[in-house]
Amino acid sequence: MTAPLTVVLPDAKAVKDMLSGLVGKPVAVTPGSPVTPTPQAPVSVAVYVSPTMAVNALCVMDLPLAAWTGGALALLPPGGVQDAVEEDGELTAMLTEALHEVVNVLSALFNVPGAPHSKLHASYAPGDDLPGDVAGMLAAFNRLDLTVEVPGYGKGRLSLVVP
């Protein structure tokens, strides 16, 4: 009998390398605090599933990091992205689309030998209503919590969670 495949959290270096390659700039990654949604601090949540549709992992970003990574990927001017965060408190349609691409690429962090294949199943922008089961998984203890700085844009927080 073979051992069941398990999802493994990536290390901070893997996250740094993936994000740096994605946005074309050397991002800084340091240990951070857990990203948890509140009415005052909306978050984006990406849900990754296995081929059997079991939830493998979650990627949670605070509003600033969701905007910074999406803006950097789409090569948007930092000032406009900053306005979306500080004045509007939400992502524009273009930032939401770019963020979706960011979290889609991040699924590769979980696709390592010995782990079940993970693919992006759903992406929720900051402020979107989360399904109850997904919201409940955000508190899982098997997680990697980071602070990420995107050059030219700013700092934000990222949590990768394996429920």
Side-chain angles (χ1 to χ4, degrees):
M1 183 169 166
T2 60
L5 299 174
T6 57
V7 178
V8 179
L9 279 170
D11 60 21
K13 183 183 181 321
V15 175
K16 174 185 175 21
D17 292 348
M18 179 74 68
L19 285 173
S20 294
L22 188 60
V23 302
K25 300 172 183 228
V27 303
V29 174
T30 56
S33 58
V35 182
T36 53
T38 68
Q40 301 76 28
V43 301
S44 72
V45 178
V47 180
Y48 304 103
V49 296
S50 72
T52 62
M53 297 302 289
V55 175
N56 276 354
L58 304 171
C59 175
V60 190
M61 289 187 203
D62 65 6
L63 174 64
L65 188 61
W68 307 150
T69 56
L73 179 68
L75 302 174
L76 298 174
V81 177
Q82 188 171 358
D83 289 347
V85 172
E86 295 175 1
E87 295 175 16
D88 304 335
E90 63 184 16
L91 300 183
T92 63
M94 184 177 284
L95 281 172
T96 300
E97 188 176 315
L99 173 64
H100 183 85
E101 187 56 33
V102 169
V103 296
N104 188 36
V105 170
L106 290 180
S107 68
L109 290 169
F110 302 103
N111 290 323
V112 296
H117 182 76
S118 294
K119 70 174 185 174
L120 180 64
H121 172 68
S123 176
Y124 300 92
D128 286 356
D129 288 332
L130 295 176
D133 60 335
V134 171
M137 291 178 199
L138 296 178
F141 292 106
N142 190 12
R143 59 189 305 132
L144 176 66
D145 301 307
L146 301 169
T147 297
V148 178
E149 184 170 4
V150 181
Y153 289 88
K155 282 185 182 180
R157 294 180 305 133
L158 167 87
S159 291
L160 298 175
V161 181
V162 175

